[in-house]
Amino acid sequence: MRRISIFGSTGSVGCNTVDLIRRAPEAFRTVALTGGRNVTLLAEQARSLRAEVAVTAHDDLLGNLREALDGSGVEAAAGEAALIEAAGRPADWAMSAIVGAAGLAPGLAALEQGAVLALANKESLVAAGPLMMATARAHGATILPVDSEHSAVFQALRGEAPGAVERVILTASGGAFRDWTAERLTEATPEEAVRHPNWDMGQRITIDSASLFNKALEIIETREFFGIEPDRIEVLIHPESLIHAMVGFQDGALLAHIGPPDMRHAIGYALHWPERQALPVARLDFAAIGQLNFSAPDEARYPALRLAREVMGAGGLTGAAFIAAKEAAVDAFLERRIGFTEMAVVVERVIEKLSGVGLGKAEITLDSVRHADQMARIGAAEAVGGLEAESERVWISQG
Ligand code: NDP
């Protein structure tokens, strides 16, 4: 029996992971499940998987979690320290599916006890790729990609010499606003941004898909995971989301990974790696699909792609600041304080401001990442305030 833990089990990736585990209860023993505000679901999952411990990130919800787990024999805990303690309990395989910068510390804790870490939380690699990789090496741990694009690249690279890779092509659906003009994008609302045409995902990553910030993170993730130089990583709009990524080799061959837009493929691949096992995903009928479409991304409409390259160029803690500024910008957009296209303006202002304090040269540790995160959130709050004041001025001058 393999011991497994799921960080962020109540989210979209987490629930898909629980679904796969539930299908083979005899193969797995659940150590830790962690969630955020949804303690009802967390308790239900912990009961059904007979977890050792269930942890909510929120101290104020400990009472509710305890009540929901009453009589189950599952330990209940709350808060960041409890989450990291649970993540560090010995497990053979752990899923890192917390959203955002909060996923870094639990992921590191799992690596420190030598687990195979299935990494959906791309933010960890963007903020602290070298730290994640060094921790895995030091403790004999393994990191497996779960993002569908990176799982695709990982599968295409199996058995290939790293030196034979010429380029990696990441596909992007183009998100909710694929066909919108730059002018219309300025009017986009949070309700419109959370509707993804192909994938059923958490709220934040769906907004990041619409702004292409998700693809920006994935470019950096590709560099950190596979050591591919930034100028060899391309992005291609592919509305059908069936080809997840392609790897081009020096002999001109391209290996494409094709499958339905269902995260249970990438999660299941990481769960059963290095074997392949049957998975409950749809099989594609190419005759029915008929055609696949591709186009180049419009970098003028989507500045996130350019920002990703600037972040990689700057290095150091710039990735950590990028993640935090982007998270703060998404919050401000959800609160209707800034417009959809202003999210990129906020991130750019923060990166510009912090580049002056030597962020690019700083050493990456958990503490320095947290510090850069705080500085970026302060910078983002100022930038959001500045944009609000600017729009107020426009409003008054128009009125
Ligand atoms: P969701 O928003 O659906 O779920 C996030 C999970 O993290 C939930 O369990 C949530 O708890 C928990 N959580 C939220 N905030 C905190 C916090 N501060 N501390 C601890 N736990 C917290 O996200 P997704 O499942 O969509 O995404 C998870 C990660 O996987 C992200 O990094 C995303 O980029 C990546 N990813 C997602 C894909 C997808 O298809 N969804 C595809 C590829 C990558 P609760 O809900 O109980 O509040």
Side-chain angles (χ1 to χ4, degrees):
M1 254 196 183
R2 285 168 76 204
R3 297 164 302 173
I4 64 114
S5 288
I6 308 172
F7 317 141
S9 65
T10 52
S12 167
V13 171
C15 287
N16 277 317
T17 312
V18 169
D19 175 67
L20 293 178
I21 302 289
R22 271 192 185 135
R23 290 166 191 263
E26 65 297 336
F28 304 105
R29 184 162 74 73
T30 305
V31 178
L33 296 182
T34 85
R37 302 222 77 89
N38 196 348
V39 290
T40 308
L41 178 59
L42 179 62
E44 188 261 306
Q45 292 174 332
R47 278 178 184 273
S48 79
L49 295 182
R50 296 170 194 276
E52 204 176 277
V53 60
V55 189
T56 160
H58 304 282
D59 291 305
D60 57 317
L61 293 175
L62 180 58
N64 302 44
L65 182 62
R66 278 207 178 115
E67 203 178 304
L69 286 171
D70 191 33
S72 66
V74 181
E75 210 181 308
E80 197 194 351
L83 209 150
I84 295 169
E85 185 278 324
R89 293 191 188 192
D92 302 301
W93 186 91
M95 164 58 76
S96 169
I98 289 173
V99 64
L104 175 60
L108 286 171
L111 291 175
E112 279 165 8
Q113 56 86 28
V116 170
L117 186 69
L119 190 72
N121 178 264
K122 60 192 92 186
E123 295 89 342
S124 319
L125 273 190
V126 174
L131 176 63
M132 292 286 288
M133 293 302 180
T135 307
R137 272 195 304 276
H139 297 275
T142 304
I143 307 179
L144 296 176
V146 171
D147 225 343
S148 58
E149 293 78 359
H150 303 78
S151 176
V153 172
F154 186 74
Q155 293 179 51
L157 287 176
R158 256 180 113 164
E160 303 286 352
V165 177
E166 206 168 57
R167 60 182 175 148
V168 165
I169 303 173
L170 303 175
T171 56
S173 68
F177 308 137
R178 181 166 60 216
D179 304 318
W180 288 34
T181 60
E183 197 184 12
R184 196 173 164 209
L185 280 180
T186 60
E187 305 295 327
T189 65
E191 290 74 20
E192 289 165 330
V194 297
R195 270 185 245 127
H196 196 284
N198 306 335
W199 293 90
D200 180 13
M201 309 185 288
Q203 186 187 56
R204 286 171 173 280
I205 186 174
T206 308
I207 294 173
D208 289 349
S209 291
S211 62
L212 259 60
F213 263 109
N214 183 47
K215 212 48 56 182
L217 302 191
E218 288 177 6
I219 295 174
I220 305 174
E221 189 184 1
T222 304
R223 205 271 305 260
E224 298 300 335
F225 238 120
F226 306 107
I228 313 262
E229 296 97 335
D231 60 355
R232 291 170 187 260
I233 306 169
E234 300 169 22
V235 172
L236 187 64
I237 302 292
H238 167 45
E240 292 84 5
S241 294
L242 295 178
I243 296 183
H244 304 307
M246 295 185 250
V247 179
F249 295 93
Q250 59 189 3
D251 61 355
L254 271 176
L255 292 189
H257 182 285
I258 312 179
D262 183 336
M263 278 308 291
R264 289 177 305 175
H265 174 78
I267 296 167
Y269 183 81
L271 182 61
H272 299 300
W273 177 87
E275 293 170 16
R276 280 191 193 272
Q277 290 194 14
L279 291 173
V281 297
R283 271 48 178 172
L284 294 181
D285 174 351
F286 278 94
I289 293 164
Q291 62 177 30
L292 298 176
N293 293 282
F294 306 98
S295 60
D298 175 358
E299 297 213 6
R301 264 191 312 156
Y302 296 106
L305 299 180
R306 170 179 54 80
L307 288 173
R309 297 189 191 281
E310 287 174 15
V311 168
M312 287 187 288
L317 293 169
T318 316
F322 184 52
I323 290 287
K326 187 220 42 112
E327 280 182 26
V330 171
D331 284 340
F333 171 62
L334 284 169
E335 291 160 8
R336 293 184 157 72
R337 296 180 61 198
I338 58 170
F340 180 77
T341 51
E342 286 174 328
M343 288 190 286
V345 177
V346 169
V347 174
E348 185 153 24
R349 286 187 186 176
V350 171
I351 298 296
E352 253 171 38
K353 186 170 177 204
L354 294 186
S355 65
V357 300
L359 211 60
K361 301 206 166 42
E363 193 194 345
I364 302 176
T365 64
L366 190 51
D367 283 344
S368 69
V369 166
R370 284 188 166 139
H371 184 58
D373 183 289
Q374 278 167 7
M375 287 200 303
R377 284 177 202 273
I378 293 168
E382 284 169 11
V384 168
L387 285 167
E388 283 180 317
E390 283 165 33
S391 70
E392 185 89 349
R393 273 199 298 278
V394 171
W395 183 248
I396 290 166
S397 68
Q398 281 175 348

